[in-house]
Amino acid sequence: SDQTENAQVGVSAQAEDQQHEAAKSVPVEEQQHQERHAVQQSDQTENALVGVSAQAEDQQHEAAKSVPVEEQQHQEVTARAGARFQATGQNADMLNRVRALVNDFDMGTRVEAALRLMDPQMFSDLMDNEQAFREKLTGLANSQDRINKTMWLVGETDPAVKELIEAGFEILHGQSASLA
C-alpha cells in the first residue's frame, strides 16, 4: 500500500513535471509569437509616425510658402498706400484741408492717413460742402465719435481706402516718429 502510494505520488510528480515542461514550452512559442507581433506593431507604429512626421513637414513647407505671399501682399498694399500719399502730397490744397480737419477735431494720425489715401476727386466730392461736414462733426459728442464718423464716410466714399488704412497709418506713424 505504501509502495502503491509512493508509485502514485511518483507518477503524479512525473506527470506534473511533464505538464510544467509542456506549459513552459507553450509560453515560449506564445512569447515568440508575441514578440513577432510586437515587432510588426512597432514597424506599423514607426511607419505611422514617419507618415505623421512627413505630413507635419509638408504642413510646415506650406506655411513657409504662405508667409512670403502674405508679406508680398503687405508690400503691395504699402506700395499702393505710398503711391497715394505721393499723389496727395503734391496736392497742397488737399493736404492743407486734411491737416486742418484732423487738427481742428483732434482726430489723429489714422484719420489723417485715411483722408490722405483717398482719391483726390473722391476727397473733393466728400468735402464739396466742407462747412456742412464740419458742422456734422461738431454735432457729435466726442472725439471718438468724430473719428468713427469720418472713417465710415471715407470708407463709403472711397472703398479702396479700407485696405490701405493700416499701411498708410504705418507710413505716417513712421514719418512722425522719425521727426520726433
Side-chain angles (χ1 to χ4, degrees):
S1 154
D2 283 339
Q3 286 179 341
T4 306
E5 192 175 300
N6 285 340
Q8 286 177 340
V9 168
V11 169
S12 175
Q14 187 179 14
E16 195 174 290
D17 286 344
Q18 287 173 348
Q19 285 178 342
H20 188 64
E21 285 301 315
K24 282 202 284 188
S25 69
V26 170
V28 168
E29 290 172 3
E30 181 63 27
Q31 184 178 8
Q32 289 171 345
H33 173 74
Q34 287 175 352
E35 286 174 2
R36 282 193 304 271
H37 186 69
V39 167
Q40 287 173 344
Q41 282 185 326
S42 175
D43 288 347
Q44 289 172 349
T45 302
E46 186 175 325
N47 289 339
L49 289 175
V50 167
V52 168
S53 177
Q55 185 180 10
E57 197 171 298
D58 289 345
Q59 289 172 345
Q60 286 174 342
H61 283 297
E62 288 303 312
K65 285 182 196 174
S66 70
V67 171
V69 169
E70 290 172 4
E71 180 60 32
Q72 184 180 12
Q73 289 171 341
H74 178 72
Q75 289 172 356
E76 289 171 5
V77 169
T78 301
R80 287 199 334 258
R84 284 217 179 180
F85 277 146
Q86 211 168 24
T88 59
Q90 294 171 1
N91 184 337
D93 179 56
M94 180 179 172
L95 196 54
N96 290 334
R97 289 170 74 188
V98 165
R99 288 184 175 154
L101 188 67
V102 169
N103 289 333
D104 291 350
F105 292 97
D106 192 30
M107 292 192 285
T109 308
R110 194 170 305 276
V111 172
E112 180 181 350
L115 290 167
R116 286 185 57 190
L117 287 167
M118 291 183 76
D119 175 87
Q121 183 58 50
M122 291 182 184
F123 176 79
S124 182
D125 292 346
L126 177 67
M127 301 301 284
D128 258 351
N129 191 343
E130 188 172 343
Q131 188 58 36
F133 184 69
R134 286 175 167 277
E135 287 173 7
K136 284 181 186 177
L137 292 178
T138 302
L140 296 172
N142 59 49
S143 180
Q144 189 59 51
D145 289 344
R146 290 187 285 275
I147 290 169
N148 293 342
K149 179 72 170 183
T150 303
M151 294 297 275
W152 181 82
L153 285 170
V154 167
E156 290 296 304
T157 305
D158 188 353
V161 171
K162 290 178 183 178
E163 83 172 320
L164 302 175
I165 289 174
E166 287 307 311
F169 174 72
E170 289 172 12
I171 292 169
L172 280 185
H173 191 70
Q175 287 175 357
S176 64
S178 67
L179 297 175

